[in-house]
Amino acid sequence: MNEYLILCVDDEREVLDSVFHDLAILEEHFMIEAAESVDEAKEVLADAITDHIPLALILCDHIMPGEKGIDFLIELKQQPETRKARKVLLTGQAGLEETIQAVNNASLDFYVSKPWNGDKLKEIVIDQLTTYIIENEKDLMPWIRVLNTERIMQALSDNRLSLSDI
């Protein structure tokens, strides 16, 4: 299996710890990193890019010191190395206009409001990662036991059908 990065960005350490706890089941299959600011997130991404580890998913808060989360997600959508990553806004403070801006710029795949339900967050993350893997990974079989089995099986079936049409 290829190695992929999940990046969690929030200026509150307790939030990052909680997200890590909720996503612990994925640690065996994904590199999960935390950043307490956009600047720190950019450093983590630079290291991942250098090591050829693609960003599969980013969970990002909106209101943080320095650059805002939505602006960062829009920036990631414009960079070739991070364009394909699934982007989830995890916040309790984004206003309607800011959220619309992120959606309209195709920079937001899902919105989760704080406080969140841990099981629901895990479900959302697995769904977003499943989409990412289906769109970006050639060998889907290893992901069947990790991600959404039904969707992976459907993608495998669809791939076989498209090959038979050739």
Side-chain angles (χ1 to χ4, degrees):
M1 248 192 286
N2 290 335
E3 192 170 21
Y4 292 99
L5 173 65
I6 297 172
L7 178 58
C8 308
V9 186
D10 197 297
D11 60 324
E12 296 180 47
R13 188 77 224 167
E14 306 81 41
V15 171
L16 292 172
D17 291 344
S18 184
V19 169
F20 265 72
H21 177 266
D22 293 340
L23 302 183
I25 192 170
L26 297 170
E27 281 183 308
E28 184 179 336
H29 307 286
F30 292 89
M31 178 186 300
I32 304 176
E33 294 287 338
E36 293 184 36
S37 68
V38 170
D39 287 341
E40 189 178 335
K42 288 178 180 180
E43 291 174 18
V44 170
L45 285 173
D47 290 343
I49 290 166
T50 299
D51 294 337
H52 305 287
I53 300 170
L55 176 65
L57 181 130
I58 181 166
L59 287 148
C60 189
D61 187 21
H62 176 51
I63 304 296
M64 293 182 287
E67 191 172 345
K68 292 191 174 177
I70 288 175
D71 296 332
F72 183 48
L73 295 177
I74 291 169
E75 183 181 322
L76 292 178
K77 187 67 176 181
Q78 297 168 352
Q79 296 176 3
E81 301 90 356
T82 55
R83 179 177 294 129
K84 295 177 180 180
R86 305 301 292 178
K87 296 159 187 76
V88 177
L89 188 65
L90 178 64
T91 188
Q93 298 181 8
L96 180 61
E97 287 301 315
E98 294 158 324
T99 304
I100 290 170
Q101 176 189 8
V103 171
N104 286 347
N105 284 293
S107 303
L108 184 60
D109 296 301
F110 211 91
Y111 179 98
V112 179
S113 61
K114 292 178 183 176
W116 66 90
N117 173 289
D119 290 334
K120 184 68 176 166
L121 180 64
K122 183 172 62 174
E123 179 184 312
I124 290 164
V125 166
I126 287 173
D127 185 60
Q128 293 299 314
L129 289 170
T130 301
T131 299
Y132 178 86
I133 293 298
I134 289 170
E135 291 175 354
N136 296 286
E137 180 67 47
K138 289 181 177 148
D139 185 11
L140 298 178
M141 287 301 286
W143 298 100
I144 287 176
R145 63 183 182 86
V146 179
L147 300 174
N148 183 310
T149 303
E150 185 177 320
R151 288 187 54 213
I152 298 284
M153 293 297 290
Q154 184 62 52
L156 286 166
S157 175
D158 292 346
N159 288 348
R160 283 192 191 107
L161 288 174
S162 68
L163 290 175
S164 67
D165 291 341
I166 296 177

